[in-house]
Amino acid sequence: MSKTIILALLATYMISITLAASNSPTCSSHLAFAKAKNVLTNVLQSDSKGKSKNEALQKQFQNAKPANRTAADLGVCSQYANQNSCCDKNMVKLIDTAALLKVKPILQSKSAFQKLVSVYVTQVTKNCSNTVLPSTPLTFDAIFANTTLKVLQANKTAQATCRINFAKAISSFTRGALCSICAGVEKINDYFNAQGQLKVSQSSVNTFLQSTDQAISCTASFFTPSNIELIVKELNAAYIKNNDKCGANVLDNIKTIFANPKISNDDGKGGKVCKGTTIFGDNSACENILQGDASLEKKLRLLRAEEEEINRLLQASSDAVIDPNGVSVYTTSNSDNQIDETGNGIAPNFDQISTNNSIMIGFTALSISLFALLF
Ligand SMILES: *[C@@H]1O[C@H](CO)[C@@H](O)[C@H](O)[C@H]1NC(C)=O
Ligand SMILES: *[C@@H]1O[C@H](CO)[C@@H](O)[C@H](O)[C@H]1NC(C)=O
Ligand SMILES: *[C@@H]1O[C@H](CO)[C@@H](O)[C@H](O)[C@H]1NC(C)=O
Ligand SMILES: *[C@@H]1O[C@H](CO)[C@@H](O)[C@H](O)[C@H]1NC(C)=O
Ligand SMILES: *[C@@H]1O[C@H](CO)[C@@H](O)[C@H](O)[C@H]1NC(C)=O
């Protein structure tokens, strides 16, 4: 190659970089990206492959040239089709997978229903003498897996469905929030109000409210005194000999402990804990509702600091407003079919997400050209 050609190539490359940089608005200053990128990063932190794909794709996003994308390109984020989006199909796959991964730790933490069985073990061990108990000490795992306990198993299966539906609602909501980074650069300022709050559609917020409300009240229905009685009486009959009277004490104590399990969507101030308008901020008070009161297993009063922490979480602030031209923040996906009760079935495949190293290729070409010029 002659030096003239190399120089011409070099000039073209520099001009295209400059043009991309001076074209406003840019992907690097995308308002939704600025707000959502930490959500994406936090969720993917736990997965080493997810973490590195995230780092590469976030860089790529910021350096991208907005392009008019089709619905097929944007997959689960297709509501932003035909806009000048900074997303490509790999970023959308990352978003889809991150929304799924978000609920894994939530499902892996102990549910209030699991706590009920743990508390049973504690109470029986405390309140019944060894002579009326099985020779091998009672364990949570043995009881939870005992298929001859019909009430326990029927309730366990039924509450698992509520828990899965709840996780699907959280995942869909997270996906909807993350998709906002795919909004076209020419549209993005219309999607935020002057206070920097995302404008969201009434119908998507309603879907989130309905799904979470339903799952929460469904879960709470297992902790009514009469239902606790059904479960505990079956356990007593299975594990306490001769109908010993300690069984009645155990039942009373468990009813007291679960008198207010705090599986409720009521924030105590006339609002909902799962509001549907905390999009980018801390939503953990909502996400952890099905675990019930943190003190259930401890049976101790919470420390003052813990209570304050919980109150702080309950006051999670809204960062969105309902607007007729708002975006949908509830995006379902087939990926969520992986959601199971324990979260153990969630095993995202990050290999199908490729990162673009075109920027690297650009720099390599530039360096080679410089070398050719110099020598
Ligand atoms: C990534 O590569 C695809 C082709 O594989 C290209 O269309 C796209 O413009 C590239 N994106 C960036 C940010 O360079
Ligand atoms: C993107 O392309 C579609 C189909 O060609 C067109 O209708 C739409 O106006 C384009 N959008 C932008 C922002 O250029
Ligand atoms: C067993 O339960 C009864 C009734 O709640 C209570 O009075 C008693 O102190 C308990 N016994 C033990 C050893 O915890
Ligand atoms: C728990 O299981 C019992 C027995 O199948 C059933 O009668 C009861 O309605 C179940 N509880 C709930 C809340 O579904
Ligand atoms: C399972 O429950 C039955 C009573 O339904 C009881 O006889 C048996 O010991 C229990 N098995 C375990 C491993 O807990």
Side-chain angles (χ1 to χ4, degrees):
M1 264 195 284
S2 80
K3 286 190 178 177
T4 328
I5 295 175
I6 293 166
L7 263 178
L9 280 173
L10 200 56
T12 317
Y13 185 70
M14 298 303 272
I15 287 167
S16 67
I17 286 181
T18 320
L19 275 182
S22 65
N23 262 352
S24 61
T26 64
C27 292
S28 59
S29 62
H30 197 284
L31 190 49
F33 180 74
K35 288 173 181 276
K37 66 172 194 266
N38 287 339
V39 179
L40 201 53
T41 302
N42 291 342
V43 171
L44 295 170
Q45 207 67 28
S46 63
D47 185 294
S48 62
K49 265 189 192 155
K51 190 169 176 245
S52 67
K53 300 277 174 174
N54 175 53
E55 280 161 7
L57 286 173
Q58 285 202 12
K59 271 203 197 90
Q60 217 170 286
F61 179 97
Q62 287 171 284
N63 290 312
K65 212 171 138 236
N68 188 348
R69 300 289 187 193
T70 64
D73 288 334
L74 292 184
V76 292
C77 304
S78 63
Q79 70 170 307
Y80 302 107
N82 300 321
Q83 299 181 13
N84 290 316
S85 177
C86 303
C87 288
D88 63 4
K89 59 178 188 301
N90 286 301
M91 183 46 117
V92 170
K93 280 189 209 160
L94 187 77
I95 289 173
D96 186 28
T97 311
L100 168 65
L101 200 58
K102 162 89 189 179
V103 297
K104 188 172 173 132
I106 299 171
L107 290 163
Q108 284 179 330
S109 51
K110 216 167 188 182
S111 68
F113 193 77
Q114 289 169 313
K115 288 177 185 173
L116 182 67
V117 175
S118 305
V119 167
Y120 180 79
V121 174
T122 315
Q123 287 302 313
V124 165
T125 314
K126 257 173 70 175
N127 222 300
C128 299
S129 79
N130 282 336
T131 56
V132 297
L133 294 179
S135 49
T136 50
L138 289 189
T139 65
F140 169 85
D141 288 329
I143 298 176
F144 216 56
N146 192 339
T147 50
T148 63
L149 303 169
K150 297 300 175 205
V151 177
L152 181 76
Q153 294 304 329
N155 283 201
K156 183 183 157 191
T157 307
Q159 65 84 39
T161 307
C162 319
R163 201 167 189 222
I164 289 168
N165 289 341
F166 184 78
K168 285 183 175 170
I170 298 293
S171 169
S172 301
F173 185 66
T174 306
R175 189 175 288 111
L178 292 176
C179 276
S180 66
I181 72 169
C182 299
V185 288
E186 78 281 20
K187 289 272 211 177
I188 191 66
N189 288 324
D190 303 341
Y191 289 149
F192 285 91
N193 68 11
Q195 286 73 45
Q197 293 169 306
L198 183 66
K199 296 177 187 171
V200 297
S201 76
Q202 179 79 65
S203 65
S204 67
V205 170
N206 284 353
T207 308
F208 177 72
L209 291 178
Q210 269 160 25
S211 326
T212 47
D213 261 341
Q214 240 169 47
I216 293 164
S217 56
C218 167
T219 302
S221 70
F222 293 92
F223 299 94
T224 61
S226 61
N227 203 68
I228 289 175
E229 194 161 326
L230 280 177
I231 296 172
V232 172
K233 280 189 166 164
E234 181 186 52
L235 295 177
N236 284 349
Y239 295 108
I240 300 174
K241 289 181 194 136
N242 313 322
N243 196 19
D244 189 273
K245 66 178 184 336
C246 73
N249 288 340
V250 167
L251 175 59
D252 282 347
N253 294 349
I254 294 179
K255 276 187 182 165
T256 308
I257 293 169
F258 282 86
N260 180 12
K262 301 207 176 140
I263 304 163
S264 159
N265 201 8
D266 186 343
D267 71 357
K269 297 181 190 68
K272 304 250 183 219
V273 181
C274 295
K275 292 181 186 40
T277 50
T278 306
I279 309 285
F280 306 111
D282 184 355
N283 224 357
S284 53
C286 163
E287 290 156 7
N288 296 331
I289 283 181
L290 302 196
Q291 287 147 45
D293 192 344
S295 72
L296 282 176
E297 273 184 295
K298 298 194 221 161
K299 217 223 151 191
L300 297 164
R301 288 298 306 143
L302 286 180
L303 299 172
R304 196 176 171 79
E306 286 179 299
E307 298 234 31
E308 278 168 7
E309 171 65 5
I310 287 165
N311 287 335
R312 187 189 64 79
L313 290 176
L314 283 176
Q315 284 153 16
S317 55
S318 291
D319 49 24
V321 288
I322 298 194
D323 188 276
N325 300 315
V327 299
S328 167
V329 282
Y330 196 91
T331 305
T332 58
S333 162
N334 288 336
S335 302
D336 287 350
N337 294 338
Q338 279 186 32
I339 293 176
D340 60 359
E341 188 200 356
T342 60
N344 296 336
I346 297 176
N349 171 14
F350 286 99
D351 291 333
Q352 39 124 18
I353 300 172
S354 45
T355 55
N356 211 340
N357 36 27
S358 62
I359 298 158
M360 287 307 293
I361 293 168
F363 277 115
T364 312
L366 185 64
S367 322
I368 292 171
S369 311
L370 277 172
F371 259 76
L373 267 179
L374 286 171
F375 302 106

